[in-house]
Amino acid sequence: DDEGLLIREYCGQWNSGVNEKQLLWLQDALTINKSGWAVIFMSHDFPINEYGEEPFRNNNLLWDIIKAYKNSEKGTIKSTEKYYEAEISYDFTNNKSNEVIAYLFGHIHKDIEFMQDGINAISTKNLLGAVEKPWDNIDDETDGGWDCILVDRKKRTIETIRCGASKRRTIHF
């Protein structure tokens, strides 16, 4: 509305999106003028593919910015959806760093690793405590799911040391 608030029909736990202000923030945050930096993205849900179970509004624009950053590209993204209108021009061609280490997310409460557009995506079942009926048919221990994530940039390896999960994960980037 005129005060910048969403109308009631767009509010609620299962109704989410990324607005122009957030996309501009991301575009600005990814304009890196110093060399030697790398990025790890973290969010509740993965923006695209079958692991982004309930795609949120403008999820494709968010992912387009991330891919453009990684690939040192420039361009424009646009959405005309009511309440989520956005038009953003980005230019990552002069960045001093465009390295993406990984995209970390939860939401699905499963341990999954996959590659999406050349970016490692790592999910975790974080904080899924010992429950009588764990959802998603989790087949290993369910007493925590904490991750300590270590990054060895020289070996280009991510290791997750697990508490309350049965395996230690190693992912190369």
Side-chain angles (χ1 to χ4, degrees):
D1 62 15
D2 292 340
E3 296 175 22
L5 302 173
L6 287 176
I7 60 172
R8 182 170 292 286
E9 71 184 78
Y10 280 87
C11 298
Q13 181 177 359
W14 306 118
N15 195 346
S16 58
V18 182
N19 64 26
E20 184 176 66
K21 183 178 179 182
Q22 292 166 312
L23 293 167
L24 283 168
W25 169 85
L26 180 61
Q27 181 260 342
D28 185 55
L30 292 175
T31 303
I32 299 176
N33 296 319
K34 293 182 181 180
S35 60
W37 288 91
V39 175
I40 296 175
F41 297 98
M42 294 184 292
S43 69
H44 179 79
D45 201 356
F46 194 72
I48 59 170
N49 86 11
E50 68 269 21
Y51 300 112
E53 288 181 339
E54 294 131 9
F56 48 88
R57 289 172 170 84
N58 287 344
N59 62 324
N60 57 328
L61 301 185
L62 174 75
W63 192 249
D64 286 347
I65 289 176
I66 291 171
K67 287 190 310 185
Y69 164 79
K70 179 189 176 297
N71 297 320
S72 302
E73 297 173 344
K74 68 185 268 185
T76 301
I77 55 174
K78 185 174 183 175
S79 170
T80 58
E81 183 177 352
K82 189 175 182 179
Y83 304 113
Y84 289 91
E85 296 91 348
E87 184 167 355
I88 297 164
S89 294
Y90 55 83
D91 185 351
F92 301 118
T93 59
N94 294 318
N95 269 16
K96 301 289 185 202
S97 178
N98 292 81
E99 182 178 12
V100 176
I101 292 176
Y103 192 112
L104 310 175
F105 68 103
H107 185 67
I108 61 174
H109 298 278
K110 294 181 181 180
D111 290 323
I112 297 173
E113 306 103 35
F114 60 95
M115 185 73 69
Q116 181 72 43
D117 298 318
I119 296 171
N120 279 302
I122 304 167
S123 75
T124 185
K125 63 180 184 179
N126 279 354
L127 300 178
L128 179 61
V131 293
E132 191 173 315
K133 294 180 180 179
W135 56 86
D136 291 333
N137 299 316
I138 294 170
D139 57 2
D140 61 347
E141 301 165 42
T142 58
D143 59 350
W146 290 83
D147 289 293
C148 177
I149 298 172
L150 306 174
V151 178
D152 185 333
R153 290 188 66 194
K154 289 182 182 177
K155 293 181 182 176
R156 300 190 58 78
T157 302
I158 302 165
E159 289 198 25
T160 60
I161 301 172
R162 316 302 307 286
C163 172
S166 59
K167 62 181 179 174
R168 181 175 179 151
R169 299 188 285 176
T170 301
I171 298 110
H172 301 282
F173 65 95

